[in-house]
Amino acid sequence: LKATLAAIGGFLDAFQKVADMATNSRGATKEIGSALTRLCMRHKSIESKLKLLTSTIIENLVTPIQEKSEDWKKSCAQLDKEHAKEYKKARQEIKKCATDTMRLQKKVRKGKSDMQTKLDHAMKDVTDKYLMLEESEKTAVRTALIEERSRFCLFISCIRPFVEHEIGLLTEITHLQDITHSLCLMASEPTTLPPSSEQVIMDIKGSDSSSFFSNLSSQ
């Protein structure tokens, strides 16, 4: 886009010189020069919007995403670390409870009926810890999904100004149609001079006649 802007700038400078040449004519191409100037000004407006589009990509999209990139890596690593720590702790607690439950089951099978209540509590504890682990995993997944979604939402907020400038650029381009149509009509009959040209001819004719009679009188 920057290379395109540089090329457009050079082209429009040359275009304006051509328009000025047509405008500064004594009468044959003034209206063409005016239309070419309008066309050039429209293109300069497009150039301006393209500059905004280019700067928006850098300022509103590239730079913010680059600045966030390192934070995202750190937050992702932190989430993974915290999840691994909590998961390991929960698994160890479940394993310990499961071991206690198996020991109590052996005692109950040996006929120690007084251990049945403790076994029931131990089994309930294992079930509760499994449910807690399940909820913890759901929370971890939900947190990861929110983190992922928030990044894409940020990307959308960053790219929105770019798209808005892009729409403005396309809208500006549509204005070229009327000017181009007018220029095509002007250029359709190059042998037909505009009324202003006829006036120039009359002025030159009058000037030449006055000069002729003036010279004749002096002789």
Side-chain angles (χ1 to χ4, degrees), residues 130-196:
Y130 266 116
L131 291 174
M132 288 176 61
L133 176 60
E134 182 180 347
E135 288 301 318
S136 177
E137 288 297 284
K138 287 180 181 179
T139 301
V141 172
R142 190 177 292 109
T143 301
L145 292 174
I146 292 173
E147 178 69 18
E148 180 186 40
R149 186 176 179 84
S150 66
R151 295 182 185 187
F152 280 99
C153 289
L154 176 64
F155 177 78
I156 291 170
S157 67
C158 290
I159 204 173
R160 187 184 67 181
F162 166 76
V163 176
E164 289 174 350
H165 284 306
E166 191 176 29
I167 293 171
L169 175 63
L170 295 174
T171 303
E172 189 66 37
I173 290 174
T174 61
H175 295 157
L176 298 175
Q177 186 173 1
D178 292 339
I179 302 175
T180 303
H181 179 68
S182 177
L183 275 170
C184 289
L185 289 177
M186 294 177 190
S188 61
E189 297 182 9
T191 58
T192 302
L193 294 173
S196 58

Side-chain angles (χ1 to χ4, degrees), residues 84-123:
K85 181 180 178 181
E86 293 177 2
Y87 182 79
K88 183 179 179 180
K89 180 181 177 181
R91 292 288 296 179
Q92 286 176 344
E93 291 179 353
I94 290 173
K95 185 176 180 180
K96 182 178 180 299
C97 289
T99 301
D100 293 341
T101 301
M102 291 175 64
R103 187 170 58 252
L104 289 171
Q105 285 177 337
K106 289 179 180 179
K107 291 181 178 180
V108 170
R109 283 197 295 269
K110 289 180 179 179
K112 295 181 179 181
S113 57
D114 58 320
M115 292 291 152
Q116 184 63 50
T117 303
K118 290 183 178 181
L119 175 60
D120 293 339
H121 284 299
M123 292 183 68

Side-chain angles (χ1 to χ4, degrees), residues 75-90:
S75 64
C76 185
Q78 185 63 28
L79 285 174
D80 191 45
K81 182 179 178 181
E82 291 176 357
H83 170 257
K85 181 180 178 181
E86 293 177 2
Y87 182 79
K88 183 179 179 180
K89 180 181 177 181

